Amino acid sequence: MKIIFARTFAIALVVILSATGLWATGADEEAPAAAADKKYVTDPTSGRVFTAPEYGGTLTHAELTMAESTDTWFHGGSVTTSLITPVLEKLSIGDWGIDREEYAWKDQSSPPWALRPALAESWEQPDSLTYVFKIRQGVHWHDKAPMNGREFDADDVEWNYHRNYGLGSGFTEPSPNSYWDTSIVESVTATDKWTVEFKLKEPSLFAIDHIIDQWAVWIYPPEVIKEHGDAKDWRNLVGTGPYELTNVVEDTSTTYTKNPDYWAYDEKYPENRLPYIDKLVGLVMPEPATRLAALRTGKLDYMGQNGDVPIRSIDQLESLQRTNPEIVLWKYLFRSNNSIGMNVNNPPFDDIRVRQAMQMALDLETVYATYYKGHGSTRPQGQIADDMKGWSTPFEEWPEEVKKFYTYDPAGAEALLDAAGYPRGADGIRFKTVLSHFSRYDETFAGLAAAYWGEIGVDVEIQVPPIPEWAAKGKSRLFEMRSTSAANRYKPSGGFPRQYVSTMSWNSSAVNDPDYDAMYEAFQKADTLEEAQRLTREANILGIERHWTVWGGEISQWNVTQPWVMGYNGEVWLGTGHQDNFFARLWIDSELKKAMGH
């Protein structure tokens, strides 16, 4: 018994240390003696050591909610794409084989140089208005009616882009999904069975990115949509991807089964055909306590950003560390979800002095040192994170007259409110307002911010409406204050901080500024990367100078894996909207899982 225990413990220790980066060997080094009968591989992208890839098993992960549809023609964003990504594919995908020091796939920027061909085998730009794609041969649709395993070809690509752009094949109206930019492409033509030509309306610096890696550019099965009118019903969904969606229990679970004829091979271990895992199960778990209990009992193998359920609470983090130190935690910064937009069209927030006062009233250093226990950053940032080199301006280079408003100064905040014409009343209150809080973000931080604002005489009521109501109020601009993001790590084509563009439905501060809109129009027409970056930096600084958003700091987040999940390095996505595609590239150490009692 002692020998068996020692061996099991040694295996578990090796895997845990290698997954956390605390132990690694070269490819030709021997594994520890206690685990000498096991085979190991060194991940060429990170240097971490894992037990060798094996096929089979089930990976279960958590989801916050379930999409209402599987058709991105109608619905975009992470909820929909999380449901479809194991099934459908794009012309491109993130390069799983890229060195993680070069790009770690831990944010949503998806730079074009980190993408690789998927359903396309290659592409080229023969002139400023033309892109030519060679379509990958040997790819087949799932063996499910009405596709019945037929070979995928260029006509499928043409038909999908016609549908989404409204450019032919019976489609005259573009998709209503705001994630599609229909202003760029003039025509899409399959010139032969394996070639598709895209013609642009005018030269565009980021056209290729819009074509291959935006949220909604998934390739759907034409016969399904011709037969049913759309692809909303999951039962009809057919793809070319590594898994088939075989069962959905509404608001409860999703089940995917391995596609035995999948075309792709592991980018890191190219002799291995994907996927490794036989079955993926997604469990809808809106309550954090339920998710933690499932992790502790081994019912969840993975929990993270791609299901919108990373650990964001320090209490949950420390609780899990105390009870289950063997579970692997992957720390990263994604963006600030603690920032707050103000409706700058209406009093009192139409006065910049009020907006500046709201910032100066927050003691972010104390909040992050105590409540968040140092996990995060209070370094002031605009809509674009300052680690997006070339696209943002670091705080040290901000105008001096702007920097001062990011220092905790309640007396200075009160002076600004007095000067703006909002003196304290007999009850000590200057004005009352409502903060519409997004339910997925940290409500405790909102409460702490409201308490600080109360100290300067601003009475803030926090309301947490259902997400559809919250979104509708934002779109119609019927809000006073609302949760928003900042320090975003966008991909270059979306690098411009569009939250402040007047025509954008998700305008988080109801901004309607001609100067800003002009910058965005110029960005869209930029013909060099340097010009696009300059305009983005200027727009970011303009938003900071006019203080359209209260900076709330950036809290760390953690993805979570069980120690038997192999091949994972803390990745978040694998290209825009590719939330679940990396599951096809992970495997389960079945021996370790069994040895740990699961």
Side-chain angles (χ1 to χ4, degrees):
M1 181 66 72
K2 290 182 180 179
I3 294 174
I4 294 174
F5 176 78
R7 180 178 179 281
T8 301
F9 178 78
I11 294 171
L13 182 62
V14 167
V15 175
I16 292 167
L17 292 179
S18 65
T20 56
L22 298 176
W23 179 86
T25 69
D28 57 352
E29 292 185 43
E30 294 183 1
D37 60 333
K38 289 188 72 72
K39 294 182 179 180
Y40 294 86
V41 293
T42 299
D43 187 327
T45 70
S46 67
R48 291 188 170 93
V49 175
F50 298 101
T51 56
E54 64 175 276
Y55 289 91
T58 298
L59 187 145
T60 302
H61 60 100
E63 300 276 357
L64 185 68
T65 187
M66 185 177 291
E68 60 183 284
S69 164
T70 52
D71 194 341
T72 56
W73 195 87
F74 299 95
H75 308 285
S78 60
V79 177
T80 302
T81 54
S82 182
L83 185 58
I84 66 173
T85 52
V87 180
L88 301 178
E89 297 182 287
K90 300 180 184 179
L91 297 177
S92 73
I93 191 172
D95 187 356
W96 187 247
I98 199 169
D99 191 314
R100 294 303 185 262
E101 290 189 3
E102 186 176 357
Y103 189 68
W105 294 112
K106 289 189 178 181
D107 56 49
Q108 53 187 333
S109 63
S110 300
W113 51 264
L115 300 173
R116 61 182 295 272
L119 291 179
E121 193 171 67
S122 65
W123 55 82
E124 61 179 355
Q125 186 179 15
D127 59 64
S128 63
L129 293 177
T130 308
Y131 281 94
V132 177
F133 288 80
K134 290 298 181 181
I135 303 307
R136 187 178 299 278
Q137 299 183 38
V139 176
H140 291 263
W141 293 96
H142 296 159
D143 190 11
K144 175 181 175 180
M147 306 308 294
N148 300 319
R150 78 158 172 82
E151 192 169 18
F152 166 82
D153 60 27
D155 289 333
D156 294 323
V157 177
E158 179 193 80
W159 188 92
N160 269 269
Y161 282 88
H162 281 180
R163 180 187 185 225
N164 286 292
Y165 289 146
L167 289 177
S169 301
F171 300 102
T172 57
E173 294 296 326
S175 163
N177 184 343
S178 61
Y179 287 104
W180 277 93
D181 188 338
T182 60
S183 66
I184 296 175
V185 175
E186 179 72 33
S187 65
V188 183
T189 306
T191 57
D192 61 43
K193 189 173 183 180
W194 307 113
T195 308
V196 180
E197 181 182 84
F198 287 74
K199 285 288 187 180
L200 309 183
K201 294 179 179 178
E202 59 184 11
S204 172
L205 185 63
F206 300 117
I208 185 63
D209 190 58
H210 285 283
I211 293 170
I212 66 173
D213 193 48
Q214 287 300 328
W215 282 95
V217 292
W218 305 95
I219 304 298
Y220 279 83
E223 287 92 321
V224 168
I225 297 172
K226 290 174 184 177
E227 182 175 322
H228 298 282
D230 57 50
K232 288 183 177 181
D233 191 333
W234 70 268
R235 297 170 185 83
N236 302 325
L237 191 65
V238 186
T240 58
Y243 291 95
E244 296 183 42
L245 182 55
T246 50
N247 190 43
V248 173
V249 180
E250 188 173 357
D251 295 328
T252 301
S253 67
T254 55
T255 302
Y256 303 83
T257 304
K258 176 178 179 176
N259 171 15
D261 299 317
Y262 186 50
W263 60 269
Y265 288 78
D266 193 329
E267 297 88 339
K268 299 178 185 179
Y269 314 105
E271 69 278 8
N272 295 342
R273 193 162 189 163
L274 297 174
Y276 294 109
I277 294 167
D278 284 346
K279 183 182 293 185
L280 300 178
V281 176
L283 299 179
V284 179
M285 294 180 166
E287 296 300 325
T290 305
R291 298 195 293 267
L292 288 185
L295 282 168
R296 290 187 175 106
T297 57
K299 293 179 180 179
L300 283 179
D301 300 296
Y302 170 90
M303 187 176 85
Q305 178 68 46
N306 60 332
D308 204 13
V309 287
I311 290 181
R312 297 185 175 110
S313 162
I314 304 304
D315 288 342
Q316 293 171 25
L317 171 71
E318 294 181 339
S319 174
L320 191 61
Q321 287 175 320
R322 284 193 304 269
T323 60
N324 295 77
E326 78 283 1
I327 290 178
V328 187
L329 296 157
W330 305 87
K331 184 177 181 178
Y332 63 99
L333 291 173
F334 191 68
R335 67 185 179 197
S336 167
N337 288 335
N338 282 346
S339 294
I340 296 167
M342 300 159 285
N343 192 324
V344 300
N345 289 316
N346 304 323
F349 301 119
D350 59 342
D351 192 316
I352 191 173
R353 293 169 294 185
V354 174
R355 305 196 295 270
Q356 292 164 340
M358 299 294 278
Q359 184 72 65
M360 295 172 70
L362 298 182
D363 186 1
L364 295 179
E365 294 292 336
T366 296
V367 170
Y368 276 71
T370 55
Y371 177 58
Y372 290 124
K373 301 184 180 181
H375 292 292
S377 172
T378 59
R379 175 185 172 84
Q381 300 177 72
Q383 284 297 320
I384 306 300
D386 63 7
D387 55 14
M388 296 293 291
K389 304 300 182 184
W391 298 91
S392 63
T393 305
F395 179 69
E396 292 78 14
E397 298 176 20
W398 289 9
E400 290 300 325
E401 64 271 18
V402 173
K403 289 182 183 179
K404 64 183 179 181
F405 298 116
Y406 290 84
T407 299
Y408 177 52
D409 183 4
E414 297 223 42
L416 281 172
L417 292 175
D418 286 339
Y422 294 97
R424 286 184 181 266
D427 57 0
I429 296 175
R430 297 176 182 274
F431 62 83
K432 295 183 178 181
T433 189
V434 174
L435 168 58
S436 181
H437 179 73
F438 188 47
S439 61
R440 298 183 189 176
Y441 296 170
D442 184 3
E443 190 175 347
T444 301
F445 176 82
L448 292 170
Y452 277 113
W453 290 325
E455 292 296 314
I456 62 169
V458 177
D459 186 342
V460 178
E461 176 189 351
I462 299 173
Q463 296 180 355
V464 189
I467 291 176
E469 180 183 336
W470 178 87
K473 285 184 176 180
K475 188 173 183 179
S476 60
R477 306 188 181 184
L478 298 176
F479 64 91
E480 297 174 37
M481 303 177 74
R482 73 192 301 252
S483 304
T484 192
S485 64
N488 292 288
R489 293 169 174 86
Y490 290 134
K491 61 195 305 166
S493 63
F496 193 95
R498 291 176 291 173
Q499 290 91 329
Y500 299 144
V501 176
S502 64
T503 56
M504 295 297 169
S505 61
W506 62 90
N507 191 315
S508 56
S509 297
V511 176
N512 187 5
D513 187 286
D515 295 338
Y516 199 89
D517 288 350
M519 287 181 177
Y520 182 54
E521 290 180 12
F523 170 84
Q524 291 179 300
K525 297 178 181 178
D527 55 10
T528 67
L529 182 63
E530 291 74 20
E531 177 70 0
Q533 289 180 325
R534 179 187 66 80
L535 289 163
T536 299
R537 291 195 303 270
E538 291 180 2
N540 197 39
I541 285 293
L542 181 61
I544 291 166
E545 290 176 338
R546 299 188 180 177
H547 224 115
W548 288 326
T549 297
V550 172
W551 166 248
E554 186 177 15
I555 175 63
S556 300
Q557 301 182 167
W558 290 264
N559 288 346
V560 186
T561 54
Q562 297 287 359
W564 53 77
V565 176
M566 298 288 107
Y568 185 67
N569 295 287
E571 294 87 358
V572 175
W573 290 349
L574 195 54
T576 303
H578 285 272
Q579 287 100 313
D580 293 352
N581 289 61
F582 62 77
F583 287 153
R585 292 157 171 81
L586 307 182
W587 62 94
I588 301 295
D589 183 337
S590 57
E591 182 180 340
L592 176 59
K593 184 174 181 179
K594 183 178 180 180
M596 297 182 72
H598 300 287

